[in-house]
Amino acid sequence: MNALSLIPPLLFAVACSPSDNATDSGALRPDDTAVANLEAQTFEDLPYAALSSAQALDLSIPAGSGPFPVVVLIHGGGFFTGDKAAMASSAAFLVSRDIAAASINYRLSGEATFPAAVEDAKAAVRFLRANADLYRLDTNRIGSWGESAGANLAAMLGTSSGDAFVEGAELGNATLSSKVTATVAMFAPVDFLTIDEQSAALGFTTNTDAKNSFESQYMGFPVQSDPEVTALANPTTYIDADDAAFLVQAGDVDPLIPYTQSQNFADALRASLGEDGVTFDLFEGAGHGGPAFESDENRSAIATFFETNL
């Protein structure tokens, strides 16, 4: 079945040219003093599309001439809540390793249902490519890093490159690619259709199919009521040999999302990318986030992963 026939059409903004985006966002001009001095820079609330006020990002750039690799950071919050500021410490750490960081907001489920958030993430990547010269970015070295619901979106960036249904090309810079080449996915809800059974197998209860669950609100219907459409929000659906390198992480006592969501996703990636293309870390005693993920040791491992794969 054609994916486009499964969901009602969405309204989209008129596509903007790269130069329009640069002007509207308050982007640096090449002759600005800041660029001439090659200072470290942070720009807040740069609009990467024009359909919603949620379509904005904070961009932090290291000092130096670049061009720098850049990682798109995607906050969690059940697709329902959250803000890009939650990824500020991750952004600061990346910049300390000479990696630019773009922390994005995106349309939450109270404003727009799937695939809106995926389209927003892809529009943000295209915006970065369109304005790479202004911001000293390397268009060939773009990655994604997300936590929880944000990890689902980061993983969608890593696997669904080139899929027109989730691209949202109408949001701007349609001629540019939204492909990323390295993805970190932390404690992600991956397959909404199997969360409940996997939770039960691990001894706790979720109710993902309830109409008010985060996942059902994100889809716009109870997830089990239309499994074909729900599967389109699963990054596993899009896996092929051209996908990004992946670092997948989860805690073995996560009480919200069964760690087997991440484990099964990593296994599916390995089948396509091989052992060298995927790393899966299962942290003993760790829950849904927390010190194991935020430690200096793990942050360093993440930076090394990006340095190796970008």
Side-chain angles (χ1 to χ4, degrees):
M1 183 179 295
N2 188 326
L4 292 172
S5 70
L6 296 172
I7 293 182
L10 299 176
L11 296 176
F12 296 98
V14 176
C16 300
S17 70
S19 58
D20 288 340
N21 276 343
T23 300
D24 293 345
S25 68
L28 283 173
R29 306 311 308 174
D31 58 353
D32 276 3
T33 301
V35 173
N37 292 339
L38 303 177
E39 299 171 354
Q41 295 285 317
T42 296
F43 301 92
E44 297 182 347
D45 296 322
L46 298 177
Y48 58 79
L51 185 60
S52 167
S53 61
Q55 294 165 325
L57 60 83
D58 296 342
L59 179 62
S60 297
I61 311 163
S65 60
F68 297 103
V70 57
V71 173
V72 176
L73 298 171
I74 311 179
H75 70 81
F79 308 101
F80 178 77
T81 188
D83 185 84
K84 54 187 166 54
M87 302 299 287
S89 65
S90 298
F93 180 78
L94 288 173
V95 169
S96 76
R97 300 285 290 255
D98 289 330
I99 300 171
S103 302
I104 71 168
N105 276 347
Y106 49 91
R107 284 172 290 171
L108 300 171
S109 60
E111 178 179 0
T113 56
F114 173 80
V118 183
E119 293 172 337
D120 288 353
K122 288 175 175 284
V125 174
R126 298 195 305 272
F127 168 86
L128 294 171
R129 280 202 163 92
N131 293 283
D133 288 344
L134 297 177
Y135 293 117
R136 293 175 275 154
L137 306 177
D138 188 334
T139 59
N140 294 316
R141 296 190 292 163
I142 301 180
S144 59
W145 175 4
E147 300 178 353
S148 194
N152 174 284
L153 301 177
M156 289 289 288
L157 287 178
T159 64
S160 66
S161 175
D163 190 278
F165 173 62
V166 291
E167 187 64 33
E170 298 86 347
L171 294 177
N173 300 304
T175 62
L176 299 179
S177 171
S178 63
K179 182 177 178 59
V180 301
T181 55
T183 295
V184 173
M186 290 177 155
F187 41 94
V190 177
D191 181 358
F192 303 162
L193 297 172
T194 61
I195 289 176
D196 290 349
E197 66 181 74
Q198 290 179 12
S199 299
L202 293 172
F204 65 98
T205 300
T206 53
N207 194 8
T208 306
D209 192 43
K211 66 179 182 180
N212 63 345
S213 75
F214 288 144
E215 293 83 3
S216 291
Q217 290 182 79
Y218 175 59
M219 295 306 303
F221 52 82
V223 297
Q224 298 289 351
S225 68
D226 196 334
E228 286 185 89
V229 176
T230 299
L232 299 176
N234 180 350
T236 311
T237 299
Y238 305 90
I239 289 175
D240 62 35
D242 194 40
D243 290 342
F246 267 84
L247 172 58
V248 181
Q249 298 185 330
D252 70 348
V253 292
D254 189 329
L256 301 179
I257 301 295
Y259 73 82
T260 45
Q261 289 276 297
S262 293
Q263 187 176 60
N264 292 348
F265 180 52
D267 288 343
L269 286 165
R270 284 195 192 98
S272 183
L273 301 178
E275 291 292 331
D276 292 341
V278 185
T279 299
F280 174 55
D281 295 330
L282 182 63
F283 295 119
E284 184 177 356
H288 198 70
F293 300 95
E294 299 166 6
S295 69
D296 291 343
E297 180 182 4
N298 193 48
R299 287 283 175 88
S300 182
I302 290 169
T304 299
F305 167 78
F306 282 126
E307 290 163 352
T308 301
N309 292 286
L310 288 183

